[in-house]
Structure formats: structure tokens, C-alpha cells
């Protein structure tokens, strides 16, 4: 059975919004290897509409090597009720019953379904028990303002720490899974 896994950058004060503006000083080969491992285990990318539009405006012009190759060639699933015709190659809109469609996708054979960015989507997947793993790279920086992942939480969502790794640059890579019971 396939798994839905999310990977996010987070500041020490819990901000996940616009990491491209603040995580750059911490990005190194070690972080790249962690992200590369996530990509290597995934054969689909799940995104909300806003993240899709940001990525579609950026990645196609970045070539075909490394992360750009993955982003441009992987199957992309976009959760949206407003987007009708995605223009980025290998993209499909999921606009119906999200829970039903994702449950069906998870039953198929294949690699992980990776969620990158998409704060609202990750929160919704957590609330509905559809997220199998949450990876957070906590950067040692305080941003002060911006969206937090759990702003719209609908109550307690018990998680269990599955793995933790302190990178040489001070970034904590934390992996959580739904808590048993």
C-alpha cells in the first residue's frame, strides 16, 4: 500500500509559509540528500492549487537535472475546486471527494505520494487521517510572522516521533506518524 508523506520546512517559531525566503542559508548538501531520499521514494507529487501554481511558474524553466527533473517529470496531482486545466506536464486535478480519491490512490501499487508545501492540504490530510508521515525540517531561525501549519487544527491530532536527525547546520529533521490508538 502506498503512503502519503509530507515534507515541510519550518522555522523555530513554527512558520511554514514562504520557506524560500528564509531557509536558504541552511540549505546544504546534507539537506539536499534528505530531500533527494524523499523524492527517490516517491512517484507522485500531491499539491494544493496555490503551491501548484507557484511550482508550475518556477520549475519548468529550471532544466531537467536533480530536483528540477523530478518536479517536472513526476506525476502531479492537484487538489482544487477552481483549477480546471493544469498546464504543467503530467498534471491532473483532483476535484471530487478527496478522501475517496486518495484512499483509492493509496491502494494502488507504487511509491510514496509526496506532499511539498501546501499548508492547507497537509493540515486537512492530518485532520482526516490520510497523511501517513509528516517530515519537518526545523531551521534554527525565528521568523516572527507568517502562517503556521496547525492554525486551523480541529483539535488534538496525536502523532508519534518516528525519527529525528540533527544536521550539521543545526536543522532538525523530524519525522512523525499517526500515533497508534
Amino acid at each position: 500500500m502506498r503512503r502519503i508523506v509530507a515534507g515541510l520546512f519550518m522555522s523555530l517559531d513554527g512558520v511554514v509559509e514562504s520557506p524560500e525566503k528564509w531557509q536558504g542559508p541552511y540549505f546544504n548538501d546534507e539537506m539536499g540528500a534528505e530531500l533527494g531520499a524523499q523524492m527517490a521514494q516517491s512517484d507522485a507529487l500531491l499539491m494544493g492549487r496555490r503551491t501548484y501554481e507557484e511550482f508550475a511558474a518556477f520549475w519548468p524553466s529550471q532544466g531537467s537535472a536533480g530536483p528540477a527533473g523530478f518536479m517536472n517529470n513526476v506525476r502531479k496531482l492537484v487538489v482544487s475546486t477552481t483549477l480546471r486545466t493544469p498546464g504543467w506536464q503530467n498534471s491532473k486535478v483532483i476535484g471530487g471527494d478527496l478522501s475517496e480519491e486518495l484512499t483509492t490512490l493509496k491502494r494502488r501499487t507504487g511509491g510514496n505520494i509526496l506532499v511539498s508545501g501546501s499548508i492547507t492540504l497537509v493540515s486537512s490530510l492530518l485532520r482526516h487521517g490520510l497523511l501517513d508521515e509528516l517530515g519537518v525540517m526545523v531551521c534554527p531561525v525565528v521568523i516572527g510572522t507568517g502562517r503556521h501549519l496547525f492554525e486551523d487544527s480541529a483539535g488534538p491530532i496525536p502523532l508519534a516521533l518516528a525519527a529525528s536527525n540533527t544536521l550539521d547546520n543545526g536543522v532538525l529533521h523530524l519525522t512523525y506518524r499517526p500515533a497508534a490508538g
Side-chain angles (χ1 to χ4, degrees), residues 165-177:
N165 185 20
T166 304
L167 308 183
D168 291 339
N169 59 5
V171 171
L172 296 175
H173 186 194
L174 307 172
T175 304
Y176 293 93
R177 294 193 181 120

PDB file of all heavy atoms in Angstrom, residues 165-177:
ATOM      1  N   ASN A 165      16.786  13.588  13.328  1.00  0.00           N
ATOM      2  CA  ASN A 165      18.166  13.693  12.892  1.00  0.00           C
ATOM      3  C   ASN A 165      18.580  15.156  13.001  1.00  0.00           C
ATOM      4  O   ASN A 165      17.892  16.034  12.474  1.00  0.00           O
ATOM      5  CB  ASN A 165      18.288  13.199  11.440  1.00  0.00           C
ATOM      6  CG  ASN A 165      19.704  13.163  10.942  1.00  0.00           C
ATOM      7  OD1 ASN A 165      20.651  13.152  11.720  1.00  0.00           O
ATOM      8  ND2 ASN A 165      19.858  13.147   9.631  1.00  0.00           N
ATOM      9  N   THR A 166      19.665  15.417  13.687  1.00  0.00           N
ATOM     10  CA  THR A 166      20.206  16.770  13.760  1.00  0.00           C
ATOM     11  C   THR A 166      21.272  16.903  12.697  1.00  0.00           C
ATOM     12  O   THR A 166      22.264  16.171  12.705  1.00  0.00           O
ATOM     13  CB  THR A 166      20.811  17.054  15.152  1.00  0.00           C
ATOM     14  OG1 THR A 166      19.812  16.827  16.151  1.00  0.00           O
ATOM     15  CG2 THR A 166      21.298  18.491  15.240  1.00  0.00           C
ATOM     16  N   LEU A 167      21.058  17.819  11.767  1.00  0.00           N
ATOM     17  CA  LEU A 167      22.014  18.030  10.689  1.00  0.00           C
ATOM     18  C   LEU A 167      23.152  18.927  11.167  1.00  0.00           C
ATOM     19  O   LEU A 167      23.017  19.649  12.160  1.00  0.00           O
ATOM     20  CB  LEU A 167      21.308  18.644   9.480  1.00  0.00           C
ATOM     21  CG  LEU A 167      20.049  17.908   8.981  1.00  0.00           C
ATOM     22  CD1 LEU A 167      19.505  18.584   7.728  1.00  0.00           C
ATOM     23  CD2 LEU A 167      20.321  16.446   8.726  1.00  0.00           C
ATOM     24  N   ASP A 168      24.247  18.906  10.461  1.00  0.00           N
ATOM     25  CA  ASP A 168      25.430  19.688  10.841  1.00  0.00           C
ATOM     26  C   ASP A 168      25.165  21.190  10.918  1.00  0.00           C
ATOM     27  O   ASP A 168      25.834  21.902  11.655  1.00  0.00           O
ATOM     28  CB  ASP A 168      26.581  19.435   9.862  1.00  0.00           C
ATOM     29  CG  ASP A 168      27.149  18.027   9.980  1.00  0.00           C
ATOM     30  OD1 ASP A 168      26.950  17.387  11.037  1.00  0.00           O
ATOM     31  OD2 ASP A 168      27.782  17.563   9.011  1.00  0.00           O
ATOM     32  N   ASN A 169      24.182  21.673  10.174  1.00  0.00           N
ATOM     33  CA  ASN A 169      23.874  23.106  10.146  1.00  0.00           C
ATOM     34  C   ASN A 169      22.884  23.522  11.241  1.00  0.00           C
ATOM     35  O   ASN A 169      22.435  24.660  11.258  1.00  0.00           O
ATOM     36  CB  ASN A 169      23.335  23.504   8.774  1.00  0.00           C
ATOM     37  CG  ASN A 169      22.083  22.737   8.399  1.00  0.00           C
ATOM     38  OD1 ASN A 169      21.542  21.966   9.190  1.00  0.00           O
ATOM     39  ND2 ASN A 169      21.622  22.937   7.182  1.00  0.00           N
ATOM     40  N   GLY A 170      22.531  22.602  12.131  1.00  0.00           N
ATOM     41  CA  GLY A 170      21.610  22.908  13.215  1.00  0.00           C
ATOM     42  C   GLY A 170      20.151  22.652  12.898  1.00  0.00           C
ATOM     43  O   GLY A 170      19.275  22.824  13.747  1.00  0.00           O
ATOM     44  N   VAL A 171      19.847  22.241  11.676  1.00  0.00           N
ATOM     45  CA  VAL A 171      18.474  21.915  11.289  1.00  0.00           C
ATOM     46  C   VAL A 171      18.096  20.566  11.901  1.00  0.00           C
ATOM     47  O   VAL A 171      18.887  19.625  11.872  1.00  0.00           O
ATOM     48  CB  VAL A 171      18.329  21.874   9.748  1.00  0.00           C
ATOM     49  CG1 VAL A 171      16.974  21.314   9.334  1.00  0.00           C
ATOM     50  CG2 VAL A 171      18.540  23.260   9.158  1.00  0.00           C
ATOM     51  N   LEU A 172      16.896  20.505  12.450  1.00  0.00           N
ATOM     52  CA  LEU A 172      16.352  19.241  12.951  1.00  0.00           C
ATOM     53  C   LEU A 172      15.433  18.654  11.902  1.00  0.00           C
ATOM     54  O   LEU A 172      14.511  19.323  11.443  1.00  0.00           O
ATOM     55  CB  LEU A 172      15.541  19.464  14.238  1.00  0.00           C
ATOM     56  CG  LEU A 172      16.290  19.972  15.443  1.00  0.00           C
ATOM     57  CD1 LEU A 172      15.312  20.245  16.589  1.00  0.00           C
ATOM     58  CD2 LEU A 172      17.338  18.965  15.877  1.00  0.00           C
ATOM     59  N   HIS A 173      15.686  17.402  11.501  1.00  0.00           N
ATOM     60  CA  HIS A 173      14.778  16.723  10.593  1.00  0.00           C
ATOM     61  C   HIS A 173      13.958  15.754  11.437  1.00  0.00           C
ATOM     62  O   HIS A 173      14.479  14.744  11.929  1.00  0.00           O
ATOM     63  CB  HIS A 173      15.543  15.989   9.499  1.00  0.00           C
ATOM     64  CG  HIS A 173      14.634  15.408   8.463  1.00  0.00           C
ATOM     65  ND1 HIS A 173      15.055  14.476   7.556  1.00  0.00           N
ATOM     66  CD2 HIS A 173      13.327  15.635   8.174  1.00  0.00           C
ATOM     67  CE1 HIS A 173      14.049  14.152   6.768  1.00  0.00           C
ATOM     68  NE2 HIS A 173      12.989  14.828   7.138  1.00  0.00           N
ATOM     69  N   LEU A 174      12.703  16.089  11.625  1.00  0.00           N
ATOM     70  CA  LEU A 174      11.799  15.312  12.462  1.00  0.00           C
ATOM     71  C   LEU A 174      10.772  14.596  11.583  1.00  0.00           C
ATOM     72  O   LEU A 174      10.211  15.200  10.676  1.00  0.00           O
ATOM     73  CB  LEU A 174      11.078  16.227  13.454  1.00  0.00           C
ATOM     74  CG  LEU A 174      11.997  17.112  14.306  1.00  0.00           C
ATOM     75  CD1 LEU A 174      11.171  18.115  15.106  1.00  0.00           C
ATOM     76  CD2 LEU A 174      12.850  16.248  15.227  1.00  0.00           C
ATOM     77  N   THR A 175      10.520  13.345  11.879  1.00  0.00           N
ATOM     78  CA  THR A 175       9.538  12.564  11.136  1.00  0.00           C
ATOM     79  C   THR A 175       8.498  12.042  12.109  1.00  0.00           C
ATOM     80  O   THR A 175       8.840  11.376  13.095  1.00  0.00           O
ATOM     81  CB  THR A 175      10.210  11.399  10.403  1.00  0.00           C
ATOM     82  OG1 THR A 175      11.242  11.909   9.550  1.00  0.00           O
ATOM     83  CG2 THR A 175       9.203  10.624   9.569  1.00  0.00           C
ATOM     84  N   TYR A 176       7.246  12.347  11.827  1.00  0.00           N
ATOM     85  CA  TYR A 176       6.124  11.920  12.671  1.00  0.00           C
ATOM     86  C   TYR A 176       5.170  11.030  11.866  1.00  0.00           C
ATOM     87  O   TYR A 176       5.013  11.216  10.671  1.00  0.00           O
ATOM     88  CB  TYR A 176       5.341  13.135  13.182  1.00  0.00           C
ATOM     89  CG  TYR A 176       6.130  13.983  14.152  1.00  0.00           C
ATOM     90  CD1 TYR A 176       6.866  15.077  13.712  1.00  0.00           C
ATOM     91  CD2 TYR A 176       6.144  13.677  15.503  1.00  0.00           C
ATOM     92  CE1 TYR A 176       7.594  15.857  14.595  1.00  0.00           C
ATOM     93  CE2 TYR A 176       6.867  14.440  16.396  1.00  0.00           C
ATOM     94  CZ  TYR A 176       7.591  15.534  15.936  1.00  0.00           C
ATOM     95  OH  TYR A 176       8.315  16.292  16.812  1.00  0.00           O
ATOM     96  N   ARG A 177       4.540  10.135  12.587  1.00  0.00           N
ATOM     97  CA  ARG A 177       3.494   9.283  12.013  1.00  0.00           C
ATOM     98  C   ARG A 177       2.304   9.327  12.953  1.00  0.00           C
ATOM     99  O   ARG A 177       2.453   9.648  14.136  1.00  0.00           O
ATOM    100  CB  ARG A 177       4.007   7.854  11.860  1.00  0.00           C
ATOM    101  CG  ARG A 177       5.134   7.785  10.840  1.00  0.00           C
ATOM    102  CD  ARG A 177       5.460   6.353  10.439  1.00  0.00           C
ATOM    103  NE  ARG A 177       6.554   6.390   9.479  1.00  0.00           N
ATOM    104  CZ  ARG A 177       7.725   5.807   9.649  1.00  0.00           C
ATOM    105  NH1 ARG A 177       7.966   5.102  10.747  1.00  0.00           N
ATOM    106  NH2 ARG A 177       8.662   5.888   8.737  1.00  0.00           N
TER     107      ARG A 177
END
